[in-house]
Amino acid sequence: LGLVETTVDGGEGAAAGAGASGPRDAAAQFERWLATQKCLERWPPPDPLLAADGVGNRELSGWLTACGASKKGRSTFVKRVSQEARAQLSRMRAKRLGPPTPGSPPPRKLQVKVTAIEDGRAFMVRRGNYKLRASAAHMRKLRYLYRLHTGRHMDAPAKVREQRSNDAVFNLLLRYESLQGGGFQAAIPGAVFEVLRRRFGVFCECFASPLNARYSRFCSAFLDTDGFFGSVGSFFKFRPKSGAFEANPPFVPEVIEKMHKHIAELLGDAESHGRSLTFVVIIPEWKQDEGWQKLKASPFLRAFMHVAQADHMYFEGKQHLRRKKHRVASFDTSIFVLQTAAAAAALPCDAAVEAELLRAFAYEGGDDDDAGDDDSDDGVDVAADDGASAEPKPGPDPSPNPRPSPNLKPKPKRKPNPKPNPKPHPKPNPKPSP
C-alpha cells in the first residue's frame, strides 16, 4: 500500500480524466486492482482473493496514467504488485500442501472467540492475534443466515454448532477485511430494495456479500467463505431462467462491461423461450464507458432513470464497522430496467414506478435512515435498519424458530398477565317456576 501511495501524484486535478475511478487513496487502488484482475482471470481462479496471473495489468496501468502517475511509477507499481501476489500465492500453497517439517508438532487449532464490546453494540471476533470487529446487528444477521443455510450442522451439540458458526464468521470478516477498501461493497438504500421487490418481484442480488445482502440468497465474489451465509457464488456463473434480479456491481468499467455481456446472454435465452426475466441495473452514469453505452442501447431496455449525485445516497461498504452507515453518492447514477417481453407485459415499469424509485433513492441528510425497515413477513427480505444491516425476519422458508446463539442474549419475553378465574355460572333450575 505504501508503494501505491507514492506512485500516484497527489496534485489537485491529477484524476481529472479519471471520472470513473473513484477515490485515489491506496486502499481504493488496491481494491480496484483486485476487482479488475478477478473479473478478467481464467476460471477456476488460482485463489479466491489473490490475483496472480496479471490479466488486469494493462487496465490498471491505464487507470494510473489517468490519475497522474509517471511512466516509471506505473511500470514499477504494476510489476511489484503482480510479483508480490504470485509470491504470496506460492507461499500459501506450500504451507497448505507441503509436508510437515520432520519432528515438528502438529499444527494447533486456534479457537475463535466472540466477545461483546461497547456495551453490547458491537462484537470482537478473535482468533489468535487477529481481532475483527462487527456491529451487534450484523452479528445477529450473520448468525441467522448461517443457521438458515447450514441445516446439516443442526444435529451437532450446541457447543460444536456455536464454534462452527464462529469459525465461519471469522473467515468471512477476515476475507472482507483483506480487501482493505469497502468502496466496492456499498449498497443501495433499503427503500429502493422494497420498491424493487414490490413492483418487480426482485428477490436476489447479483453482486452482494453476507454483510450487505438484502435477501437470503445472493451472488457474491467468494463462495468459499460466503456460501455458509446464502451465497450462490459468482454472478458470472449464475444462470437463472426466469425471475427478477437487482445488479449493483463494483464500480469498475471492466466488471460493468462483463456484467452487461452476461445479462444480455441470459435475457436473449429467456426471450427465445418466452420466459419472464428482469434485471434492474444500478451503476454510475459514466457515459464514456463501453459498458454504460451497451446497456443504454440494449434491445431489452424498458426504462432508464437518471439520479443526480446530490439527490441520493449509498450505504457504506464497511457499514458493519461504522456508526455512520450512509454517504452521499460520489457520481450521478443510472438505473436501467432490462426485461424480456413477457416480463415487461406482466410487470411494466411505468411513470409511477419510476417516480417511486427516485423517491426511494432520495437523500434527506442526517445519520439515521429507516429505509431498511421492513414489516413484511414473507421470509425473503433478511435486512432491517441501516441498509441491510440488522437481523433478518424468518418466514415460511427458514427453519421455524431458529435457536439463538448462547453469546447473544434474546430479549426476555413478557409474562402474560394472569387472568382471574371466571365465576361458575349458576346451574339452571330444572323445574320452572309457576
Side-chain angles (χ1 to χ4, degrees), residues 150-170:
T150 57
R152 64 184 183 279
H153 292 164
M154 288 303 169
D155 293 335
K159 190 173 181 180
V160 174
R161 291 201 308 268
E162 181 187 3
Q163 191 57 51
R164 287 173 176 171
S165 173
N166 291 344
D167 289 345
V169 170
F170 176 84

PDB file of all heavy atoms in Angstrom, residues 150-170:
ATOM      1  N   THR A 150     -27.222 -23.783   6.895  1.00  0.00           N
ATOM      2  CA  THR A 150     -26.367 -24.916   7.300  1.00  0.00           C
ATOM      3  C   THR A 150     -27.163 -25.868   8.169  1.00  0.00           C
ATOM      4  O   THR A 150     -26.739 -26.204   9.278  1.00  0.00           O
ATOM      5  CB  THR A 150     -25.120 -24.418   8.052  1.00  0.00           C
ATOM      6  OG1 THR A 150     -25.539 -23.634   9.181  1.00  0.00           O
ATOM      7  CG2 THR A 150     -24.229 -23.594   7.165  1.00  0.00           C
ATOM      8  N   GLY A 151     -28.259 -26.330   7.673  1.00  0.00           N
ATOM      9  CA  GLY A 151     -29.095 -27.245   8.428  1.00  0.00           C
ATOM     10  C   GLY A 151     -28.381 -28.543   8.774  1.00  0.00           C
ATOM     11  O   GLY A 151     -28.717 -29.211   9.750  1.00  0.00           O
ATOM     12  N   ARG A 152     -27.347 -28.911   7.972  1.00  0.00           N
ATOM     13  CA  ARG A 152     -26.641 -30.161   8.224  1.00  0.00           C
ATOM     14  C   ARG A 152     -25.896 -30.144   9.566  1.00  0.00           C
ATOM     15  O   ARG A 152     -25.499 -31.175  10.081  1.00  0.00           O
ATOM     16  CB  ARG A 152     -25.652 -30.441   7.097  1.00  0.00           C
ATOM     17  CG  ARG A 152     -24.536 -29.408   6.983  1.00  0.00           C
ATOM     18  CD  ARG A 152     -23.662 -29.703   5.778  1.00  0.00           C
ATOM     19  NE  ARG A 152     -22.545 -28.795   5.676  1.00  0.00           N
ATOM     20  CZ  ARG A 152     -22.610 -27.582   5.168  1.00  0.00           C
ATOM     21  NH1 ARG A 152     -23.792 -27.138   4.717  1.00  0.00           N
ATOM     22  NH2 ARG A 152     -21.544 -26.818   5.090  1.00  0.00           N
ATOM     23  N   HIS A 153     -25.667 -28.934  10.109  1.00  0.00           N
ATOM     24  CA  HIS A 153     -24.955 -28.832  11.385  1.00  0.00           C
ATOM     25  C   HIS A 153     -25.896 -28.851  12.588  1.00  0.00           C
ATOM     26  O   HIS A 153     -25.427 -28.808  13.717  1.00  0.00           O
ATOM     27  CB  HIS A 153     -24.141 -27.528  11.423  1.00  0.00           C
ATOM     28  CG  HIS A 153     -23.003 -27.529  10.453  1.00  0.00           C
ATOM     29  ND1 HIS A 153     -22.342 -26.380  10.074  1.00  0.00           N
ATOM     30  CD2 HIS A 153     -22.397 -28.531   9.779  1.00  0.00           C
ATOM     31  CE1 HIS A 153     -21.392 -26.679   9.215  1.00  0.00           C
ATOM     32  NE2 HIS A 153     -21.413 -27.969   9.018  1.00  0.00           N
ATOM     33  N   MET A 154     -27.184 -28.874  12.343  1.00  0.00           N
ATOM     34  CA  MET A 154     -28.116 -28.712  13.450  1.00  0.00           C
ATOM     35  C   MET A 154     -28.167 -29.928  14.364  1.00  0.00           C
ATOM     36  O   MET A 154     -28.652 -29.852  15.486  1.00  0.00           O
ATOM     37  CB  MET A 154     -29.518 -28.401  12.909  1.00  0.00           C
ATOM     38  CG  MET A 154     -29.630 -27.008  12.335  1.00  0.00           C
ATOM     39  SD  MET A 154     -29.176 -25.753  13.550  1.00  0.00           S
ATOM     40  CE  MET A 154     -29.085 -24.295  12.529  1.00  0.00           C
ATOM     41  N   ASP A 155     -27.668 -31.092  13.914  1.00  0.00           N
ATOM     42  CA  ASP A 155     -27.690 -32.280  14.758  1.00  0.00           C
ATOM     43  C   ASP A 155     -26.505 -32.318  15.713  1.00  0.00           C
ATOM     44  O   ASP A 155     -26.464 -33.159  16.610  1.00  0.00           O
ATOM     45  CB  ASP A 155     -27.675 -33.541  13.888  1.00  0.00           C
ATOM     46  CG  ASP A 155     -28.964 -33.690  13.085  1.00  0.00           C
ATOM     47  OD1 ASP A 155     -29.984 -33.135  13.537  1.00  0.00           O
ATOM     48  OD2 ASP A 155     -28.929 -34.324  12.024  1.00  0.00           O
ATOM     49  N   ALA A 156     -25.519 -31.434  15.521  1.00  0.00           N
ATOM     50  CA  ALA A 156     -24.348 -31.423  16.381  1.00  0.00           C
ATOM     51  C   ALA A 156     -24.684 -30.807  17.733  1.00  0.00           C
ATOM     52  O   ALA A 156     -25.671 -30.078  17.870  1.00  0.00           O
ATOM     53  CB  ALA A 156     -23.218 -30.636  15.706  1.00  0.00           C
ATOM     54  N   PRO A 157     -23.879 -31.075  18.763  1.00  0.00           N
ATOM     55  CA  PRO A 157     -24.110 -30.435  20.069  1.00  0.00           C
ATOM     56  C   PRO A 157     -24.050 -28.918  19.957  1.00  0.00           C
ATOM     57  O   PRO A 157     -23.428 -28.368  19.050  1.00  0.00           O
ATOM     58  CB  PRO A 157     -22.956 -30.977  20.919  1.00  0.00           C
ATOM     59  CG  PRO A 157     -22.533 -32.234  20.250  1.00  0.00           C
ATOM     60  CD  PRO A 157     -22.775 -32.028  18.789  1.00  0.00           C
ATOM     61  N   ALA A 158     -24.673 -28.241  20.900  1.00  0.00           N
ATOM     62  CA  ALA A 158     -24.780 -26.777  20.842  1.00  0.00           C
ATOM     63  C   ALA A 158     -23.407 -26.121  20.815  1.00  0.00           C
ATOM     64  O   ALA A 158     -23.188 -25.145  20.084  1.00  0.00           O
ATOM     65  CB  ALA A 158     -25.590 -26.274  22.041  1.00  0.00           C
ATOM     66  N   LYS A 159     -22.467 -26.645  21.595  1.00  0.00           N
ATOM     67  CA  LYS A 159     -21.127 -26.048  21.639  1.00  0.00           C
ATOM     68  C   LYS A 159     -20.428 -26.177  20.293  1.00  0.00           C
ATOM     69  O   LYS A 159     -19.737 -25.253  19.841  1.00  0.00           O
ATOM     70  CB  LYS A 159     -20.303 -26.717  22.735  1.00  0.00           C
ATOM     71  CG  LYS A 159     -18.987 -26.011  23.015  1.00  0.00           C
ATOM     72  CD  LYS A 159     -18.287 -26.625  24.223  1.00  0.00           C
ATOM     73  CE  LYS A 159     -16.979 -25.874  24.512  1.00  0.00           C
ATOM     74  NZ  LYS A 159     -16.289 -26.457  25.696  1.00  0.00           N
ATOM     75  N   VAL A 160     -20.594 -27.320  19.626  1.00  0.00           N
ATOM     76  CA  VAL A 160     -19.985 -27.531  18.312  1.00  0.00           C
ATOM     77  C   VAL A 160     -20.626 -26.609  17.280  1.00  0.00           C
ATOM     78  O   VAL A 160     -19.944 -26.006  16.444  1.00  0.00           O
ATOM     79  CB  VAL A 160     -20.117 -29.003  17.882  1.00  0.00           C
ATOM     80  CG1 VAL A 160     -19.613 -29.203  16.462  1.00  0.00           C
ATOM     81  CG2 VAL A 160     -19.356 -29.904  18.854  1.00  0.00           C
ATOM     82  N   ARG A 161     -21.955 -26.475  17.336  1.00  0.00           N
ATOM     83  CA  ARG A 161     -22.643 -25.582  16.397  1.00  0.00           C
ATOM     84  C   ARG A 161     -22.162 -24.145  16.564  1.00  0.00           C
ATOM     85  O   ARG A 161     -21.920 -23.438  15.580  1.00  0.00           O
ATOM     86  CB  ARG A 161     -24.159 -25.637  16.628  1.00  0.00           C
ATOM     87  CG  ARG A 161     -24.791 -26.945  16.230  1.00  0.00           C
ATOM     88  CD  ARG A 161     -26.290 -26.762  16.001  1.00  0.00           C
ATOM     89  NE  ARG A 161     -26.954 -26.127  17.119  1.00  0.00           N
ATOM     90  CZ  ARG A 161     -27.518 -26.786  18.138  1.00  0.00           C
ATOM     91  NH1 ARG A 161     -27.473 -28.106  18.177  1.00  0.00           N
ATOM     92  NH2 ARG A 161     -28.126 -26.125  19.099  1.00  0.00           N
ATOM     93  N   GLU A 162     -22.000 -23.731  17.808  1.00  0.00           N
ATOM     94  CA  GLU A 162     -21.551 -22.361  18.052  1.00  0.00           C
ATOM     95  C   GLU A 162     -20.137 -22.142  17.530  1.00  0.00           C
ATOM     96  O   GLU A 162     -19.846 -21.116  16.920  1.00  0.00           O
ATOM     97  CB  GLU A 162     -21.612 -22.055  19.545  1.00  0.00           C
ATOM     98  CG  GLU A 162     -21.183 -20.624  19.869  1.00  0.00           C
ATOM     99  CD  GLU A 162     -21.077 -20.379  21.352  1.00  0.00           C
ATOM    100  OE1 GLU A 162     -21.273 -21.321  22.126  1.00  0.00           O
ATOM    101  OE2 GLU A 162     -20.788 -19.226  21.727  1.00  0.00           O
ATOM    102  N   GLN A 163     -19.247 -23.128  17.735  1.00  0.00           N
ATOM    103  CA  GLN A 163     -17.873 -22.967  17.279  1.00  0.00           C
ATOM    104  C   GLN A 163     -17.789 -22.938  15.758  1.00  0.00           C
ATOM    105  O   GLN A 163     -17.031 -22.156  15.172  1.00  0.00           O
ATOM    106  CB  GLN A 163     -17.004 -24.104  17.826  1.00  0.00           C
ATOM    107  CG  GLN A 163     -15.508 -23.894  17.626  1.00  0.00           C
ATOM    108  CD  GLN A 163     -15.029 -22.605  18.254  1.00  0.00           C
ATOM    109  OE1 GLN A 163     -15.293 -22.330  19.414  1.00  0.00           O
ATOM    110  NE2 GLN A 163     -14.354 -21.768  17.459  1.00  0.00           N
ATOM    111  N   ARG A 164     -18.587 -23.777  15.102  1.00  0.00           N
ATOM    112  CA  ARG A 164     -18.599 -23.764  13.637  1.00  0.00           C
ATOM    113  C   ARG A 164     -19.109 -22.430  13.110  1.00  0.00           C
ATOM    114  O   ARG A 164     -18.590 -21.892  12.132  1.00  0.00           O
ATOM    115  CB  ARG A 164     -19.477 -24.912  13.119  1.00  0.00           C
ATOM    116  CG  ARG A 164     -18.855 -26.276  13.284  1.00  0.00           C
ATOM    117  CD  ARG A 164     -19.839 -27.373  12.919  1.00  0.00           C
ATOM    118  NE  ARG A 164     -19.235 -28.694  12.970  1.00  0.00           N
ATOM    119  CZ  ARG A 164     -19.904 -29.822  12.872  1.00  0.00           C
ATOM    120  NH1 ARG A 164     -21.239 -29.790  12.712  1.00  0.00           N
ATOM    121  NH2 ARG A 164     -19.296 -30.995  12.925  1.00  0.00           N
ATOM    122  N   SER A 165     -20.136 -21.906  13.769  1.00  0.00           N
ATOM    123  CA  SER A 165     -20.651 -20.591  13.372  1.00  0.00           C
ATOM    124  C   SER A 165     -19.602 -19.508  13.569  1.00  0.00           C
ATOM    125  O   SER A 165     -19.401 -18.660  12.694  1.00  0.00           O
ATOM    126  CB  SER A 165     -21.909 -20.270  14.190  1.00  0.00           C
ATOM    127  OG  SER A 165     -22.349 -18.952  13.954  1.00  0.00           O
ATOM    128  N   ASN A 166     -18.895 -19.529  14.705  1.00  0.00           N
ATOM    129  CA  ASN A 166     -17.850 -18.536  14.960  1.00  0.00           C
ATOM    130  C   ASN A 166     -16.727 -18.635  13.939  1.00  0.00           C
ATOM    131  O   ASN A 166     -16.189 -17.619  13.488  1.00  0.00           O
ATOM    132  CB  ASN A 166     -17.291 -18.714  16.371  1.00  0.00           C
ATOM    133  CG  ASN A 166     -18.290 -18.330  17.446  1.00  0.00           C
ATOM    134  OD1 ASN A 166     -19.286 -17.664  17.166  1.00  0.00           O
ATOM    135  ND2 ASN A 166     -18.047 -18.752  18.671  1.00  0.00           N
ATOM    136  N   ASP A 167     -16.335 -19.864  13.575  1.00  0.00           N
ATOM    137  CA  ASP A 167     -15.286 -20.048  12.570  1.00  0.00           C
ATOM    138  C   ASP A 167     -15.697 -19.432  11.233  1.00  0.00           C
ATOM    139  O   ASP A 167     -14.908 -18.750  10.573  1.00  0.00           O
ATOM    140  CB  ASP A 167     -14.992 -21.539  12.372  1.00  0.00           C
ATOM    141  CG  ASP A 167     -14.274 -22.159  13.562  1.00  0.00           C
ATOM    142  OD1 ASP A 167     -13.756 -21.396  14.405  1.00  0.00           O
ATOM    143  OD2 ASP A 167     -14.243 -23.400  13.657  1.00  0.00           O
ATOM    144  N   ALA A 168     -16.937 -19.696  10.832  1.00  0.00           N
ATOM    145  CA  ALA A 168     -17.416 -19.173   9.549  1.00  0.00           C
ATOM    146  C   ALA A 168     -17.476 -17.650   9.563  1.00  0.00           C
ATOM    147  O   ALA A 168     -17.115 -16.993   8.583  1.00  0.00           O
ATOM    148  CB  ALA A 168     -18.798 -19.755   9.227  1.00  0.00           C
ATOM    149  N   VAL A 169     -17.928 -17.066  10.683  1.00  0.00           N
ATOM    150  CA  VAL A 169     -17.991 -15.606  10.786  1.00  0.00           C
ATOM    151  C   VAL A 169     -16.589 -15.004  10.747  1.00  0.00           C
ATOM    152  O   VAL A 169     -16.347 -13.994  10.074  1.00  0.00           O
ATOM    153  CB  VAL A 169     -18.726 -15.194  12.078  1.00  0.00           C
ATOM    154  CG1 VAL A 169     -18.588 -13.702  12.330  1.00  0.00           C
ATOM    155  CG2 VAL A 169     -20.208 -15.558  11.970  1.00  0.00           C
ATOM    156  N   PHE A 170     -15.635 -15.619  11.449  1.00  0.00           N
ATOM    157  CA  PHE A 170     -14.266 -15.102  11.445  1.00  0.00           C
ATOM    158  C   PHE A 170     -13.678 -15.127  10.034  1.00  0.00           C
ATOM    159  O   PHE A 170     -13.078 -14.155   9.572  1.00  0.00           O
ATOM    160  CB  PHE A 170     -13.388 -15.928  12.391  1.00  0.00           C
ATOM    161  CG  PHE A 170     -11.939 -15.512  12.380  1.00  0.00           C
ATOM    162  CD1 PHE A 170     -11.495 -14.461  13.167  1.00  0.00           C
ATOM    163  CD2 PHE A 170     -11.017 -16.176  11.574  1.00  0.00           C
ATOM    164  CE1 PHE A 170     -10.168 -14.067  13.136  1.00  0.00           C
ATOM    165  CE2 PHE A 170      -9.688 -15.799  11.545  1.00  0.00           C
ATOM    166  CZ  PHE A 170      -9.262 -14.737  12.329  1.00  0.00           C
TER     167      PHE A 170
END
